[in-house]
Amino acid sequence: MSRFGETFTTPKPILGMLHLGGDSPESKLAQALEEARIMTGEGVDGLVVENYFGHAEDVERVLERLFGLDLGTRIGVNVLRDDARAFELARRYPVAFIQVDSVAGHLPPETDAPFAADLAARREGVSALLLGGVRFKYQPVLSGRPEAEDVRIGASRCDGLVVTSDATGRPTDMDKVARFRAATGGTVPLLIGAGLTEANAAEQLVHADGAVVGSWFKHDHKDTGRVEAAHVAGLMRVVRAARSAA
């Protein structure tokens, strides 16, 4: 069994994003804890604590509180623009996985090699899975390599690839997922990283091994909103049906 399968024993795991919305550190913490309880209560398999609206200090504050609760789910971290901080937190807290938005393709060759060496060094002594993006939303493509080569290199650097189209909330291109699958020969789990909805989840999860969900869970289906239980429950019903069908 892969490390991914050992960590997420339920097929097609759904990882819910905690974007850390709020007007103050206290309100960010309160909202994150409320949203974590909603998502885990509706059966989400993992939580990603991300400084989408907050700061790295907010991420740590939320992690500290989440690990004091008994939510019965996997907890991961994504510190945007500061991968080193994410690994530092993974050494201090028992996070199950780290998400890094880009592990290959976003750097020119002369800086890609030092990046790869740094990434490998940071992974030493960290038991958390690494879920990485290749040609991820909002990331540049500077490698000068074909897409398939970037994908293969990215897959060699992490435990699962997160695939998106070009923007938050935009449905992930299934042709892109198919290309990534072909490039890796099906050896690495692929997760939908954006745009999964109640309407498209059944189709997309036929081709992917899980998903990271943020905007769809919000009351207005926008990243700026607040998580609403009915939206989480609706998507998870579709996911459970897709798991049964598989």
Side-chain angles (χ1 to χ4, degrees):
M1 181 180 293
S2 69
R3 293 189 66 224
F4 183 86
E6 292 173 352
T7 300
F8 298 105
T9 55
T10 301
K12 314 284 185 179
I14 302 298
L15 314 181
M17 294 296 303
L18 294 173
H19 282 140
L20 306 192
D23 298 325
S24 67
E26 295 75 18
S27 65
K28 291 179 188 297
L29 176 60
Q31 182 172 332
L33 295 178
E34 176 190 4
E35 293 182 342
R37 289 188 179 98
I38 290 171
M39 288 192 281
T40 57
E42 298 296 344
V44 166
D45 304 284
L47 300 170
V48 187
V49 185
E50 181 184 272
N51 57 326
Y52 190 91
F53 293 117
H55 302 283
E57 292 74 18
D58 297 307
V59 172
E60 181 165 6
R61 192 175 295 110
V62 171
L63 284 176
E64 185 176 16
R65 287 293 299 277
L66 286 178
F67 283 115
L69 304 175
D70 184 18
L71 295 176
T73 195
R74 302 295 189 180
I75 297 172
V77 62
N78 185 6
V79 183
L80 300 171
R81 301 170 296 278
D82 194 347
D83 298 345
R85 185 67 175 272
F87 282 94
E88 175 191 335
L89 291 171
R91 290 187 176 89
R92 295 170 55 194
Y93 297 90
V95 301
F97 60 96
I98 299 166
Q99 183 180 343
V100 172
D101 281 1
S102 189
V103 294
H106 62 298
L107 296 171
E110 62 271 18
T111 52
D112 181 67
F115 167 82
D118 287 346
L119 185 65
R122 289 182 184 128
R123 295 194 71 187
E124 289 292 329
V126 174
S127 61
L129 296 179
L130 178 59
L131 307 179
V134 175
R135 306 210 175 191
F136 200 79
K137 58 185 179 181
Y138 308 120
Q139 295 290 322
V141 178
L142 301 175
S143 67
R145 298 185 292 251
E147 178 188 83
E149 186 175 354
D150 279 341
V151 172
R152 286 191 291 271
I153 291 171
S156 73
R157 295 175 179 175
C158 59
D159 301 295
L161 290 175
V162 185
V163 190
T164 71
S165 287
D166 298 327
T168 295
R170 182 174 298 173
T172 298
D173 179 3
M174 289 296 99
D175 286 342
K176 186 176 183 181
V177 174
R179 295 196 306 272
F180 277 38
R181 184 77 73 190
T184 61
T187 59
V188 177
L190 302 180
L191 286 81
I192 300 298
L196 195 81
T197 71
E198 192 172 337
N200 68 22
E203 176 187 359
Q204 296 211 348
L205 289 175
V206 169
H207 306 286
D209 302 299
V212 182
V213 182
S215 300
W216 182 259
F217 284 160
K218 305 300 182 72
H219 75 280
D220 53 2
H221 301 311
K222 296 180 181 178
D223 52 9
T224 52
R226 296 178 72 104
V227 169
E228 184 170 298
H231 293 168
V232 184
L235 178 61
M236 293 309 297
R237 280 195 296 270
V238 175
V239 170
R240 285 190 286 272
R243 289 169 178 164
S244 298

